[in-house]
mmCIF file of all heavy atoms in Angstrom:
data_model
loop_
_atom_site.group_PDB
_atom_site.id
_atom_site.type_symbol
_atom_site.label_atom_id
_atom_site.label_comp_id
_atom_site.label_asym_id
_atom_site.label_seq_id
_atom_site.Cartn_x
_atom_site.Cartn_y
_atom_site.Cartn_z
ATOM 1 N N PHE A 1 -4.373 -35.945 -13.268
ATOM 2 C CA PHE A 1 -5.699 -36.129 -12.466
ATOM 3 C C PHE A 1 -6.855 -36.565 -13.368
ATOM 4 O O PHE A 1 -7.017 -35.945 -14.472
ATOM 5 C CB PHE A 1 -5.980 -34.855 -11.799
ATOM 6 C CG PHE A 1 -4.956 -34.422 -10.780
ATOM 7 C CD1 PHE A 1 -4.104 -33.407 -11.048
ATOM 8 C CD2 PHE A 1 -4.901 -35.038 -9.484
ATOM 9 C CE1 PHE A 1 -3.143 -32.939 -10.214
ATOM 10 C CE2 PHE A 1 -3.893 -34.632 -8.632
ATOM 11 C CZ PHE A 1 -3.030 -33.594 -8.940
ATOM 12 N N HIS A 2 -7.650 -37.524 -12.965
ATOM 13 C CA HIS A 2 -8.910 -37.755 -13.585
ATOM 14 C C HIS A 2 -9.894 -36.736 -13.130
ATOM 15 O O HIS A 2 -9.556 -35.892 -12.190
ATOM 16 C CB HIS A 2 -9.410 -39.153 -13.287
ATOM 17 C CG HIS A 2 -9.601 -39.441 -11.791
ATOM 18 N ND1 HIS A 2 -10.557 -38.935 -10.984
ATOM 19 C CD2 HIS A 2 -8.766 -40.272 -10.983
ATOM 20 C CE1 HIS A 2 -10.413 -39.343 -9.827
ATOM 21 N NE2 HIS A 2 -9.353 -40.158 -9.652
ATOM 22 N N ASN A 3 -11.073 -36.678 -13.615
ATOM 23 C CA ASN A 3 -12.066 -35.685 -13.277
ATOM 24 C C ASN A 3 -13.149 -36.151 -12.386
ATOM 25 O O ASN A 3 -14.294 -35.679 -12.471
ATOM 26 C CB ASN A 3 -12.562 -35.005 -14.583
ATOM 27 C CG ASN A 3 -13.396 -35.951 -15.414
ATOM 28 O OD1 ASN A 3 -13.429 -37.169 -15.094
ATOM 29 N ND2 ASN A 3 -14.015 -35.448 -16.388
ATOM 30 N N ARG A 4 -12.853 -37.217 -11.559
ATOM 31 C CA ARG A 4 -13.899 -37.793 -10.665
ATOM 32 C C ARG A 4 -13.458 -37.718 -9.267
ATOM 33 O O ARG A 4 -13.165 -38.754 -8.621
ATOM 34 C CB ARG A 4 -14.277 -39.181 -11.077
ATOM 35 C CG ARG A 4 -14.972 -39.380 -12.420
ATOM 36 C CD ARG A 4 -16.211 -38.579 -12.595
ATOM 37 N NE ARG A 4 -17.342 -38.803 -11.546
ATOM 38 C CZ ARG A 4 -18.394 -39.327 -11.725
ATOM 39 N NH1 ARG A 4 -18.715 -39.779 -13.047
ATOM 40 N NH2 ARG A 4 -19.298 -39.517 -10.851
ATOM 41 N N PRO A 5 -13.280 -36.510 -8.786
ATOM 42 C CA PRO A 5 -12.873 -36.365 -7.276
ATOM 43 C C PRO A 5 -13.883 -36.903 -6.241
ATOM 44 O O PRO A 5 -13.557 -37.086 -5.117
ATOM 45 C CB PRO A 5 -12.636 -34.817 -7.046
ATOM 46 C CG PRO A 5 -13.498 -34.230 -8.082
ATOM 47 C CD PRO A 5 -13.481 -35.113 -9.287
ATOM 48 N N ASP A 6 -15.082 -37.213 -6.792
ATOM 49 C CA ASP A 6 -16.044 -37.798 -5.925
ATOM 50 C C ASP A 6 -16.012 -39.360 -5.890
ATOM 51 O O ASP A 6 -16.898 -40.023 -5.395
ATOM 52 C CB ASP A 6 -17.538 -37.452 -6.495
ATOM 53 C CG ASP A 6 -17.718 -37.843 -7.850
ATOM 54 O OD1 ASP A 6 -16.835 -38.203 -8.609
ATOM 55 O OD2 ASP A 6 -18.905 -37.744 -8.292
ATOM 56 N N PHE A 7 -14.873 -39.934 -6.453
ATOM 57 C CA PHE A 7 -14.835 -41.364 -6.549
ATOM 58 C C PHE A 7 -14.894 -42.147 -5.209
ATOM 59 O O PHE A 7 -15.296 -43.333 -5.169
ATOM 60 C CB PHE A 7 -13.392 -41.758 -7.247
ATOM 61 C CG PHE A 7 -12.244 -41.555 -6.239
ATOM 62 C CD1 PHE A 7 -11.774 -42.665 -5.559
ATOM 63 C CD2 PHE A 7 -11.502 -40.324 -6.264
ATOM 64 C CE1 PHE A 7 -10.650 -42.486 -4.720
ATOM 65 C CE2 PHE A 7 -10.446 -40.232 -5.487
ATOM 66 C CZ PHE A 7 -9.958 -41.225 -4.677
ATOM 67 N N GLY A 8 -14.551 -41.539 -4.110
ATOM 68 C CA GLY A 8 -14.646 -42.161 -2.846
ATOM 69 C C GLY A 8 -16.100 -42.608 -2.456
ATOM 70 O O GLY A 8 -16.345 -43.376 -1.686
ATOM 71 N N THR A 9 -17.054 -41.852 -3.050
ATOM 72 C CA THR A 9 -18.509 -42.109 -2.771
ATOM 73 C C THR A 9 -18.977 -43.305 -3.543
ATOM 74 O O THR A 9 -20.092 -43.701 -3.291
ATOM 75 C CB THR A 9 -19.306 -40.898 -3.106
ATOM 76 O OG1 THR A 9 -19.335 -40.663 -4.498
ATOM 77 C CG2 THR A 9 -18.802 -39.717 -2.312
ATOM 78 N N PHE A 10 -18.303 -43.825 -4.546
ATOM 79 C CA PHE A 10 -18.877 -44.861 -5.365
ATOM 80 C C PHE A 10 -17.930 -46.058 -5.635
ATOM 81 O O PHE A 10 -18.062 -46.797 -6.496
ATOM 82 C CB PHE A 10 -19.393 -44.349 -6.747
ATOM 83 C CG PHE A 10 -18.462 -43.642 -7.642
ATOM 84 C CD1 PHE A 10 -17.524 -44.386 -8.400
ATOM 85 C CD2 PHE A 10 -18.430 -42.321 -7.726
ATOM 86 C CE1 PHE A 10 -16.685 -43.698 -9.255
ATOM 87 C CE2 PHE A 10 -17.665 -41.641 -8.536
ATOM 88 C CZ PHE A 10 -16.731 -42.261 -9.287
ATOM 89 N N THR A 11 -16.721 -46.118 -4.874
ATOM 90 C CA THR A 11 -15.879 -47.179 -5.065
ATOM 91 C C THR A 11 -15.901 -48.063 -3.742
ATOM 92 O O THR A 11 -16.052 -47.604 -2.610
ATOM 93 C CB THR A 11 -14.355 -46.797 -5.223
ATOM 94 O OG1 THR A 11 -14.044 -45.853 -4.170
ATOM 95 C CG2 THR A 11 -14.250 -46.011 -6.587
ATOM 96 N N SER A 12 -15.833 -49.410 -3.983
ATOM 97 C CA SER A 12 -16.055 -50.401 -2.861
ATOM 98 C C SER A 12 -14.944 -51.438 -2.932
ATOM 99 O O SER A 12 -14.599 -51.914 -3.951
ATOM 100 C CB SER A 12 -17.331 -51.073 -3.015
ATOM 101 O OG SER A 12 -18.487 -50.112 -2.929
ATOM 102 N N ALA A 13 -14.342 -51.622 -1.751
ATOM 103 C CA ALA A 13 -13.199 -52.629 -1.655
ATOM 104 C C ALA A 13 -13.483 -53.770 -0.846
ATOM 105 O O ALA A 13 -14.441 -53.754 -0.038
ATOM 106 C CB ALA A 13 -11.928 -51.840 -1.151
ATOM 107 N N SER A 14 -12.725 -54.783 -0.955
ATOM 108 C CA SER A 14 -12.705 -55.918 0.012
ATOM 109 C C SER A 14 -11.369 -55.980 0.544
ATOM 110 O O SER A 14 -10.343 -56.321 -0.070
ATOM 111 C CB SER A 14 -12.990 -57.244 -0.786
ATOM 112 O OG SER A 14 -13.053 -58.286 0.090
ATOM 113 N N GLN A 15 -11.165 -55.614 1.859
ATOM 114 C CA GLN A 15 -9.843 -55.355 2.536
ATOM 115 C C GLN A 15 -9.730 -56.449 3.628
ATOM 116 O O GLN A 15 -10.678 -56.814 4.252
ATOM 117 C CB GLN A 15 -9.742 -54.099 3.053
ATOM 118 C CG GLN A 15 -9.778 -53.025 1.903
ATOM 119 C CD GLN A 15 -9.858 -51.619 2.337
ATOM 120 O OE1 GLN A 15 -9.904 -50.688 1.568
ATOM 121 N NE2 GLN A 15 -10.140 -51.309 3.656
ATOM 122 N N VAL A 16 -8.485 -56.857 3.890
ATOM 123 C CA VAL A 16 -8.195 -57.758 4.900
ATOM 124 C C VAL A 16 -6.920 -57.135 5.649
ATOM 125 O O VAL A 16 -5.923 -56.815 5.000
ATOM 126 C CB VAL A 16 -7.967 -59.266 4.467
ATOM 127 C CG1 VAL A 16 -6.947 -59.264 3.381
ATOM 128 C CG2 VAL A 16 -7.753 -60.117 5.641
ATOM 129 N N GLN A 17 -7.029 -57.118 6.985
ATOM 130 C CA GLN A 17 -5.890 -56.768 7.763
ATOM 131 C C GLN A 17 -5.373 -58.099 8.567
ATOM 132 O O GLN A 17 -6.145 -58.803 9.115
ATOM 133 C CB GLN A 17 -6.245 -55.736 8.884
ATOM 134 C CG GLN A 17 -6.439 -54.386 8.354
ATOM 135 C CD GLN A 17 -6.360 -53.371 9.495
ATOM 136 O OE1 GLN A 17 -5.530 -53.369 10.407
ATOM 137 N NE2 GLN A 17 -7.260 -52.344 9.420
ATOM 138 N N LEU A 18 -4.100 -58.257 8.409
ATOM 139 C CA LEU A 18 -3.462 -59.448 9.046
ATOM 140 C C LEU A 18 -2.288 -58.937 9.978
ATOM 141 O O LEU A 18 -1.540 -58.084 9.556
ATOM 142 C CB LEU A 18 -2.875 -60.456 7.947
ATOM 143 C CG LEU A 18 -3.945 -61.009 7.109
ATOM 144 C CD1 LEU A 18 -3.249 -61.899 5.938
ATOM 145 C CD2 LEU A 18 -5.009 -61.838 7.812
ATOM 146 N N ASP A 19 -2.205 -59.518 11.129
ATOM 147 C CA ASP A 19 -1.087 -59.315 12.001
ATOM 148 C C ASP A 19 0.219 -59.657 11.296
ATOM 149 O O ASP A 19 0.273 -60.682 10.612
ATOM 150 C CB ASP A 19 -1.194 -60.001 13.280
ATOM 151 C CG ASP A 19 -2.225 -59.478 14.206
ATOM 152 O OD1 ASP A 19 -2.094 -58.324 14.665
ATOM 153 O OD2 ASP A 19 -3.252 -60.073 14.494
ATOM 154 N N VAL A 20 1.207 -58.766 11.448
ATOM 155 C CA VAL A 20 2.465 -59.035 10.861
ATOM 156 C C VAL A 20 3.634 -58.891 11.965
ATOM 157 O O VAL A 20 3.459 -58.098 12.839
ATOM 158 C CB VAL A 20 2.805 -58.044 9.664
ATOM 159 C CG1 VAL A 20 2.890 -56.593 10.135
ATOM 160 C CG2 VAL A 20 4.037 -58.371 8.885
ATOM 161 N N TYR A 21 4.624 -59.701 11.810
ATOM 162 C CA TYR A 21 5.600 -59.766 12.717
ATOM 163 C C TYR A 21 6.977 -59.156 12.444
ATOM 164 O O TYR A 21 7.321 -59.298 11.179
ATOM 165 C CB TYR A 21 5.870 -61.225 13.220
ATOM 166 C CG TYR A 21 4.528 -61.917 13.733
ATOM 167 C CD1 TYR A 21 4.093 -63.077 13.082
ATOM 168 C CD2 TYR A 21 3.630 -61.277 14.632
ATOM 169 C CE1 TYR A 21 2.928 -63.698 13.435
ATOM 170 C CE2 TYR A 21 2.424 -61.886 14.959
ATOM 171 C CZ TYR A 21 2.074 -63.089 14.273
ATOM 172 O OH TYR A 21 0.864 -63.634 14.705
ATOM 173 N N TYR A 22 7.625 -58.581 13.284
ATOM 174 C CA TYR A 22 8.845 -57.754 12.978
ATOM 175 C C TYR A 22 9.825 -58.559 12.176
ATOM 176 O O TYR A 22 10.350 -58.003 11.043
ATOM 177 C CB TYR A 22 9.487 -57.344 14.295
ATOM 178 C CG TYR A 22 10.844 -56.553 14.117
ATOM 179 C CD1 TYR A 22 10.738 -55.183 13.936
ATOM 180 C CD2 TYR A 22 12.071 -57.191 14.110
ATOM 181 C CE1 TYR A 22 11.917 -54.440 13.782
ATOM 182 C CE2 TYR A 22 13.193 -56.413 13.936
ATOM 183 C CZ TYR A 22 13.111 -55.050 13.719
ATOM 184 O OH TYR A 22 14.250 -54.283 13.620
ATOM 185 N N ASP A 23 10.077 -59.854 12.462
ATOM 186 C CA ASP A 23 11.129 -60.585 11.775
ATOM 187 C C ASP A 23 10.739 -60.821 10.332
ATOM 188 O O ASP A 23 11.625 -61.091 9.431
ATOM 189 C CB ASP A 23 11.380 -61.899 12.513
ATOM 190 C CG ASP A 23 12.119 -61.675 13.793
ATOM 191 O OD1 ASP A 23 12.554 -60.580 14.009
ATOM 192 O OD2 ASP A 23 12.126 -62.545 14.729
ATOM 193 N N SER A 24 9.445 -60.888 9.966
ATOM 194 C CA SER A 24 9.006 -61.135 8.553
ATOM 195 C C SER A 24 8.380 -59.901 7.864
ATOM 196 O O SER A 24 7.827 -60.155 6.823
ATOM 197 C CB SER A 24 8.065 -62.333 8.589
ATOM 198 O OG SER A 24 6.980 -62.050 9.383
ATOM 199 N N LEU A 25 8.482 -58.779 8.511
ATOM 200 C CA LEU A 25 7.814 -57.601 8.034
ATOM 201 C C LEU A 25 8.282 -57.242 6.654
ATOM 202 O O LEU A 25 7.477 -56.947 5.711
ATOM 203 C CB LEU A 25 8.046 -56.395 9.016
ATOM 204 C CG LEU A 25 7.520 -55.116 8.603
ATOM 205 C CD1 LEU A 25 6.069 -55.124 8.250
ATOM 206 C CD2 LEU A 25 7.832 -54.037 9.572
ATOM 207 N N ILE A 26 9.606 -57.167 6.381
ATOM 208 C CA ILE A 26 10.135 -56.734 5.081
ATOM 209 C C ILE A 26 9.800 -57.810 4.057
ATOM 210 O O ILE A 26 9.354 -57.499 2.926
ATOM 211 C CB ILE A 26 11.720 -56.511 5.220
ATOM 212 C CG1 ILE A 26 11.972 -55.342 6.090
ATOM 213 C CG2 ILE A 26 12.224 -56.212 3.799
ATOM 214 C CD1 ILE A 26 11.287 -54.078 5.843
ATOM 215 N N ASP A 27 9.996 -59.083 4.371
ATOM 216 C CA ASP A 27 9.596 -60.143 3.502
ATOM 217 C C ASP A 27 8.121 -60.055 3.046
ATOM 218 O O ASP A 27 7.809 -60.327 1.934
ATOM 219 C CB ASP A 27 9.913 -61.481 3.990
ATOM 220 C CG ASP A 27 11.433 -61.787 3.777
ATOM 221 O OD1 ASP A 27 12.120 -61.155 3.150
ATOM 222 O OD2 ASP A 27 11.967 -62.790 4.455
ATOM 223 N N THR A 28 7.259 -59.801 4.005
ATOM 224 C CA THR A 28 5.777 -59.724 3.775
ATOM 225 C C THR A 28 5.552 -58.667 2.780
ATOM 226 O O THR A 28 4.786 -58.849 1.775
ATOM 227 C CB THR A 28 5.021 -59.503 5.074
ATOM 228 O OG1 THR A 28 5.360 -60.551 5.961
ATOM 229 C CG2 THR A 28 3.588 -59.529 4.769
ATOM 230 N N ILE A 29 6.009 -57.462 3.020
ATOM 231 C CA ILE A 29 5.785 -56.332 2.156
ATOM 232 C C ILE A 29 6.310 -56.589 0.639
ATOM 233 O O ILE A 29 5.661 -56.401 -0.264
ATOM 234 C CB ILE A 29 6.399 -55.024 2.641
ATOM 235 C CG1 ILE A 29 5.654 -54.605 3.922
ATOM 236 C CG2 ILE A 29 6.270 -53.929 1.551
ATOM 237 C CD1 ILE A 29 6.288 -53.478 4.677
ATOM 238 N N ASN A 30 7.570 -57.058 0.629
ATOM 239 C CA ASN A 30 8.131 -57.328 -0.695
ATOM 240 C C ASN A 30 7.477 -58.426 -1.489
ATOM 241 O O ASN A 30 7.244 -58.321 -2.633
ATOM 242 C CB ASN A 30 9.623 -57.673 -0.558
ATOM 243 C CG ASN A 30 10.475 -56.558 -0.083
ATOM 244 O OD1 ASN A 30 10.245 -55.350 -0.374
ATOM 245 N ND2 ASN A 30 11.692 -56.843 0.467
ATOM 246 N N THR A 31 7.214 -59.487 -0.720
ATOM 247 C CA THR A 31 6.595 -60.681 -1.460
ATOM 248 C C THR A 31 5.204 -60.397 -1.844
ATOM 249 O O THR A 31 4.886 -60.746 -3.075
ATOM 250 C CB THR A 31 6.707 -61.921 -0.562
ATOM 251 O OG1 THR A 31 7.960 -62.209 -0.076
ATOM 252 C CG2 THR A 31 6.012 -63.158 -1.214
ATOM 253 N N PHE A 32 4.329 -59.842 -1.092
ATOM 254 C CA PHE A 32 3.054 -59.443 -1.548
ATOM 255 C C PHE A 32 3.015 -58.350 -2.508
ATOM 256 O O PHE A 32 2.070 -58.272 -3.379
ATOM 257 C CB PHE A 32 2.080 -59.085 -0.289
ATOM 258 C CG PHE A 32 1.493 -60.431 0.418
ATOM 259 C CD1 PHE A 32 2.347 -61.022 1.437
ATOM 260 C CD2 PHE A 32 0.355 -60.905 -0.005
ATOM 261 C CE1 PHE A 32 1.818 -62.157 2.062
ATOM 262 C CE2 PHE A 32 -0.138 -62.083 0.584
ATOM 263 C CZ PHE A 32 0.655 -62.673 1.676
ATOM 264 N N GLY A 33 4.021 -57.479 -2.545
ATOM 265 C CA GLY A 33 4.122 -56.562 -3.708
ATOM 266 C C GLY A 33 4.341 -57.190 -4.963
ATOM 267 O O GLY A 33 3.749 -56.894 -5.913
ATOM 268 N N LYS A 34 5.254 -58.269 -4.989
ATOM 269 C CA LYS A 34 5.365 -58.965 -6.197
ATOM 270 C C LYS A 34 4.192 -59.801 -6.656
ATOM 271 O O LYS A 34 4.019 -60.108 -7.887
ATOM 272 C CB LYS A 34 6.544 -60.067 -6.040
ATOM 273 C CG LYS A 34 7.991 -59.339 -5.975
ATOM 274 C CD LYS A 34 9.051 -60.340 -5.775
ATOM 275 C CE LYS A 34 10.422 -59.668 -5.719
ATOM 276 N NZ LYS A 34 11.443 -60.744 -5.456
ATOM 277 N N LEU A 35 3.284 -60.124 -5.700
ATOM 278 C CA LEU A 35 2.093 -60.779 -5.996
ATOM 279 C C LEU A 35 1.120 -60.002 -6.638
ATOM 280 O O LEU A 35 0.108 -60.512 -7.256
ATOM 281 C CB LEU A 35 1.547 -61.403 -4.645
ATOM 282 C CG LEU A 35 0.303 -62.272 -4.739
ATOM 283 C CD1 LEU A 35 0.562 -63.607 -5.454
ATOM 284 C CD2 LEU A 35 -0.117 -62.582 -3.267
ATOM 285 N N GLU A 36 1.113 -58.642 -6.480
ATOM 286 C CA GLU A 36 0.021 -57.737 -7.055
ATOM 287 C C GLU A 36 -0.401 -58.032 -8.356
ATOM 288 O O GLU A 36 -1.586 -58.012 -8.720
ATOM 289 C CB GLU A 36 0.492 -56.315 -6.728
ATOM 290 C CG GLU A 36 0.407 -55.847 -5.251
ATOM 291 C CD GLU A 36 -1.070 -55.870 -4.801
ATOM 292 O OE1 GLU A 36 -2.003 -55.673 -5.610
ATOM 293 O OE2 GLU A 36 -1.236 -56.062 -3.570
ATOM 294 N N PRO A 37 0.545 -58.222 -9.341
ATOM 295 C CA PRO A 37 -0.009 -58.443 -10.712
ATOM 296 C C PRO A 37 -0.835 -59.624 -10.843
ATOM 297 O O PRO A 37 -1.908 -59.592 -11.543
ATOM 298 C CB PRO A 37 1.315 -58.617 -11.528
ATOM 299 C CG PRO A 37 2.394 -57.811 -10.808
ATOM 300 C CD PRO A 37 2.020 -58.085 -9.371
ATOM 301 N N TYR A 38 -0.591 -60.730 -10.126
ATOM 302 C CA TYR A 38 -1.390 -61.902 -10.142
ATOM 303 C C TYR A 38 -2.657 -61.655 -9.552
ATOM 304 O O TYR A 38 -3.697 -62.134 -9.898
ATOM 305 C CB TYR A 38 -0.736 -63.155 -9.445
ATOM 306 C CG TYR A 38 0.556 -63.571 -10.260
ATOM 307 C CD1 TYR A 38 1.856 -63.442 -9.779
ATOM 308 C CD2 TYR A 38 0.283 -64.229 -11.524
ATOM 309 C CE1 TYR A 38 2.937 -63.931 -10.475
ATOM 310 C CE2 TYR A 38 1.447 -64.714 -12.145
ATOM 311 C CZ TYR A 38 2.668 -64.570 -11.776
ATOM 312 O OH TYR A 38 3.721 -65.093 -12.455
ATOM 313 N N LYS A 39 -2.738 -60.875 -8.493
ATOM 314 C CA LYS A 39 -3.967 -60.548 -7.851
ATOM 315 C C LYS A 39 -4.849 -59.596 -8.743
ATOM 316 O O LYS A 39 -6.133 -59.861 -8.766
ATOM 317 C CB LYS A 39 -3.685 -59.688 -6.485
ATOM 318 C CG LYS A 39 -3.291 -60.531 -5.363
ATOM 319 C CD LYS A 39 -2.750 -59.670 -4.165
ATOM 320 C CE LYS A 39 -3.738 -58.772 -3.649
ATOM 321 N NZ LYS A 39 -3.347 -57.971 -2.432
#
């Protein structure tokens, strides 16, 4: 554990929610997971 449990008060994100469809759900999670290092 780090020693900044107050981190939620000073961290800021840019988030996007996108509709996902059943037939491509697993591919979406796996593919964007592999993309994370590039992000």
